[in-house]
Amino acid sequence: MQTAPHPVAIHMQPHDGKESGAPPYPYARAVAGPQPQDYVLWSLFSFSFLNACCLGFAALVFSIKSRDRKVVGDPEGAATYGRTSKCLNIAALIVSIIIFIILIVILATSAAVFRAQFQEMMKNHQ
Protein backbone atom coordinates (compact mmCIF):
# COMPACT_ATOMS: atom_id res chain seq x y z
CA MET A 1 0.00 0.00 0.00
CA GLN A 2 1.32 3.42 -0.98
CA THR A 3 1.17 6.32 1.36
CA ALA A 4 0.56 9.83 0.15
CA PRO A 5 3.56 12.14 0.37
CA HIS A 6 3.49 14.69 3.12
CA PRO A 7 2.40 18.14 1.96
CA VAL A 8 5.13 20.71 1.74
CA ALA A 9 4.43 24.24 2.88
CA ILE A 10 5.87 26.89 0.62
CA HIS A 11 6.16 30.33 2.09
CA MET A 12 5.74 32.96 -0.62
CA GLN A 13 6.93 35.84 1.55
CA PRO A 14 10.24 37.50 0.70
CA HIS A 15 13.21 36.47 2.78
CA ASP A 16 13.88 39.16 5.35
CA GLY A 17 17.40 37.99 6.25
CA LYS A 18 16.81 38.17 10.01
CA GLU A 19 17.93 34.60 10.54
CA SER A 20 21.30 35.04 8.87
CA GLY A 21 21.92 38.63 9.98
CA ALA A 22 22.23 39.85 6.38
CA PRO A 23 20.42 42.95 5.17
CA PRO A 24 17.03 42.13 3.64
CA TYR A 25 17.89 43.33 0.15
CA PRO A 26 20.98 45.01 -1.22
CA TYR A 27 18.90 47.93 -2.41
CA ALA A 28 16.63 48.39 0.58
CA ARG A 29 18.46 50.87 2.74
CA ALA A 30 16.61 52.98 5.23
CA VAL A 31 17.06 56.63 4.38
CA ALA A 32 16.29 59.16 7.08
CA GLY A 33 14.58 62.37 6.10
CA PRO A 34 12.29 63.30 3.25
CA GLN A 35 12.60 61.48 -0.05
CA PRO A 36 13.71 63.57 -3.05
CA GLN A 37 11.11 64.46 -5.65
CA ASP A 38 11.18 62.62 -8.98
CA TYR A 39 8.45 64.61 -10.81
CA VAL A 40 7.23 61.60 -12.82
CA LEU A 41 3.64 62.82 -13.20
CA TRP A 42 4.73 66.29 -14.33
CA SER A 43 7.15 64.68 -16.76
CA LEU A 44 4.44 62.42 -18.16
CA PHE A 45 2.24 65.48 -18.68
CA SER A 46 5.10 67.37 -20.34
CA PHE A 47 5.88 64.37 -22.54
CA SER A 48 2.24 63.91 -23.53
CA PHE A 49 1.18 67.50 -24.12
CA LEU A 50 4.13 69.90 -24.01
CA ASN A 51 6.87 67.97 -25.77
CA ALA A 52 8.47 71.03 -27.36
CA CYS A 53 11.95 70.20 -28.70
CA CYS A 54 11.68 66.77 -26.99
CA LEU A 55 12.17 68.43 -23.59
CA GLY A 56 9.24 66.49 -22.16
CA PHE A 57 10.84 63.21 -23.21
CA ALA A 58 14.16 64.20 -21.65
CA ALA A 59 12.36 65.20 -18.44
CA LEU A 60 10.61 61.83 -18.36
CA VAL A 61 13.92 59.99 -18.77
CA PHE A 62 15.49 61.93 -15.90
CA SER A 63 12.40 61.37 -13.74
CA ILE A 64 12.64 57.63 -14.26
CA LYS A 65 16.37 57.76 -13.48
CA SER A 66 15.54 59.66 -10.29
CA ARG A 67 12.98 57.07 -9.28
CA ASP A 68 15.49 54.29 -9.98
CA ARG A 69 18.09 56.02 -7.81
CA LYS A 70 15.48 56.30 -5.04
CA VAL A 71 14.74 52.58 -5.22
CA VAL A 72 18.44 51.72 -5.11
CA GLY A 73 18.87 53.90 -2.03
CA ASP A 74 20.94 56.73 -3.49
CA PRO A 75 19.18 59.92 -2.32
CA GLU A 76 21.89 62.24 -3.67
CA GLY A 77 21.67 60.76 -7.16
CA ALA A 78 17.86 60.80 -6.99
CA ALA A 79 17.89 64.46 -5.97
CA THR A 80 20.28 65.36 -8.79
CA TYR A 81 18.19 63.59 -11.43
CA GLY A 82 15.03 65.06 -9.88
CA ARG A 83 16.39 68.63 -10.13
CA THR A 84 17.37 68.02 -13.75
CA SER A 85 13.89 66.68 -14.47
CA LYS A 86 12.31 69.72 -12.82
CA CYS A 87 14.45 72.13 -14.89
CA LEU A 88 13.57 70.27 -18.10
CA ASN A 89 9.87 70.33 -17.21
CA ILE A 90 10.02 74.08 -16.60
CA ALA A 91 11.87 74.59 -19.89
CA ALA A 92 9.31 72.46 -21.74
CA LEU A 93 6.48 74.48 -20.23
CA ILE A 94 8.05 77.84 -21.10
CA VAL A 95 8.96 76.83 -24.65
CA SER A 96 5.49 75.38 -25.22
CA ILE A 97 3.80 78.54 -23.93
CA ILE A 98 5.98 80.69 -26.20
CA ILE A 99 5.18 78.48 -29.20
CA PHE A 100 1.47 78.61 -28.35
CA ILE A 101 1.53 82.42 -28.11
CA ILE A 102 3.40 82.68 -31.43
CA LEU A 103 0.83 80.42 -33.09
CA ILE A 104 -2.03 82.54 -31.74
CA VAL A 105 -0.36 85.72 -33.03
CA ILE A 106 0.23 84.15 -36.45
CA LEU A 107 -3.37 82.95 -36.68
CA ALA A 108 -4.75 86.32 -35.57
CA THR A 109 -2.63 88.29 -38.05
CA SER A 110 -3.36 85.91 -40.90
CA ALA A 111 -7.08 86.11 -40.12
CA ALA A 112 -6.88 89.92 -40.14
CA VAL A 113 -5.00 89.90 -43.46
CA PHE A 114 -7.47 87.45 -44.96
CA ARG A 115 -10.39 89.57 -43.79
CA ALA A 116 -8.84 92.73 -45.30
CA GLN A 117 -8.19 90.96 -48.60
CA PHE A 118 -11.72 89.58 -48.64
CA GLN A 119 -13.20 93.05 -48.02
CA GLU A 120 -11.00 94.51 -50.79
CA MET A 121 -12.11 91.77 -53.14
CA MET A 122 -15.78 92.38 -52.31
CA LYS A 123 -15.31 96.15 -52.83
CA ASN A 124 -13.71 95.59 -56.26
CA HIS A 125 -16.38 93.09 -57.23
CA GLN A 126 -19.22 95.58 -56.68
Side-chain angles (χ1 to χ4, degrees):
M1 178 151 109
Q2 253 181 342
T3 60
H6 296 289
V8 178
I10 299 175
H11 299 287
M12 299 301 287
Q13 299 298 321
H15 177 67
D16 61 359
K18 290 182 181 177
E19 296 84 26
S20 65
Y25 298 103
Y27 55 83
R29 297 181 196 125
V31 178
Q35 293 290 321
Q37 291 285 330
D38 54 15
Y39 304 104
V40 171
L41 291 177
W42 189 9
S43 299
L44 282 171
F45 179 79
S46 293
F47 175 66
S48 299
F49 299 109
L50 307 171
N51 199 13
C53 304
C54 293
L55 290 172
F57 177 71
L60 182 62
V61 168
F62 279 100
S63 293
I64 292 170
K65 284 183 176 187
S66 174
R67 184 159 284 187
D68 290 345
R69 291 283 93 196
K70 235 191 319 190
V71 168
V72 170
D74 179 16
E76 294 85 19
T80 301
Y81 284 130
R83 284 190 301 272
T84 304
S85 173
K86 180 180 178 181
C87 291
L88 288 170
N89 280 319
I90 291 170
L93 180 66
I94 290 171
V95 169
S96 296
I97 288 172
I98 289 170
I99 289 172
F100 187 68
I101 289 171
I102 289 171
L103 285 176
I104 288 175
V105 168
I106 289 172
L107 286 174
T109 55
S110 62
V113 168
F114 179 73
R115 182 175 174 215
Q117 287 178 350
F118 183 74
Q119 287 177 348
E120 183 70 28
M121 185 179 70
M122 291 304 289
K123 189 190 294 184
N124 291 339
H125 183 66
Q126 289 177 354

